[in-house]
Amino acid sequence: MTSQAPRPDTLELAADLRAALGSLVRSLRGGDELPQNQAAVLGLLVRDGRTCTVAELAALQRVRHQSMARTVALMTEAGLVTQQPHPTDGRKLLVTATEAGRTALFDQRTRREHLIATAIESRLSPEEQRLLHAAVPLLRRLP
């Protein structure tokens, strides 16, 4: 089966969607207290209640080990994560989100959701709000 190139109108829609979502995300980041890389690490750790090594976090985030080690060190100093010895490999440390880290992540998410909700209510008509609501499941199917 050969894949065909997307139609020009679909490519234009994709470009418009990427630009709109990018603009939305950038506008939400303006008031963030957590740097994006730290929020991403906390999101990984908190989502499934997991613990990871620095190497695993680096692979998941597609960054160099050294960069992730620096991020984790800063987060440890800030009290957002803890590092505990790996139960079976004493050379490794497991990184876990602390209660302060979970709170910081949830506070940031809540602030962003509040901004989006306020914009939806103040800038979109009730019909536009219904259209946006209907579009969410479609957006979830794209990745």
Side-chain angles (χ1 to χ4, degrees):
M1 177 188 297
T2 60
S3 66
Q4 296 179 344
R7 295 186 321 263
D9 60 322
T10 306
L11 285 171
E12 185 176 341
L13 174 60
D16 289 345
L17 183 58
R18 180 200 50 77
L21 291 174
S23 178
L24 176 63
V25 168
R26 282 187 300 279
S27 73
L28 294 173
R29 285 184 184 158
D32 286 352
E33 292 186 20
L34 289 173
Q36 180 58 31
N37 60 342
Q38 293 183 17
V41 168
L42 285 171
L44 286 170
L45 296 173
V46 169
R47 183 173 316 131
D48 300 323
R50 68 163 85 177
T51 60
C52 293
T53 64
V54 170
E56 291 168 336
L57 288 169
L60 288 167
Q61 290 298 113
R62 296 184 175 110
V63 299
R64 291 188 346 241
H65 184 278
Q66 297 88 337
S67 297
M68 185 56 66
R70 218 175 4 257
T71 297
V72 169
L74 290 170
M75 295 174 72
T76 301
E77 287 175 23
L80 301 173
V81 298
T82 60
Q83 297 183 71
Q84 303 295 325
H86 193 284
T88 60
D89 187 343
R91 300 167 296 168
K92 297 179 182 179
L93 295 172
L94 290 175
V95 181
T96 307
T98 63
E99 189 58 38
R102 283 188 286 282
T103 298
L105 179 66
F106 291 138
D107 286 351
Q108 184 160 294
R109 287 179 178 173
T110 299
R111 183 194 63 77
R112 286 179 172 196
E113 290 164 3
H114 181 68
L115 288 171
I116 294 170
T118 300
I120 288 170
E121 289 180 353
S122 66
R123 297 179 188 160
L124 301 181
S125 70
E127 178 57 27
E128 290 170 326
Q129 291 178 37
R130 282 190 285 281
L131 286 170
L132 184 59
H133 189 270
V136 171
L138 300 177
L139 292 171
R140 285 192 176 122
R141 287 178 27 204
L142 294 179

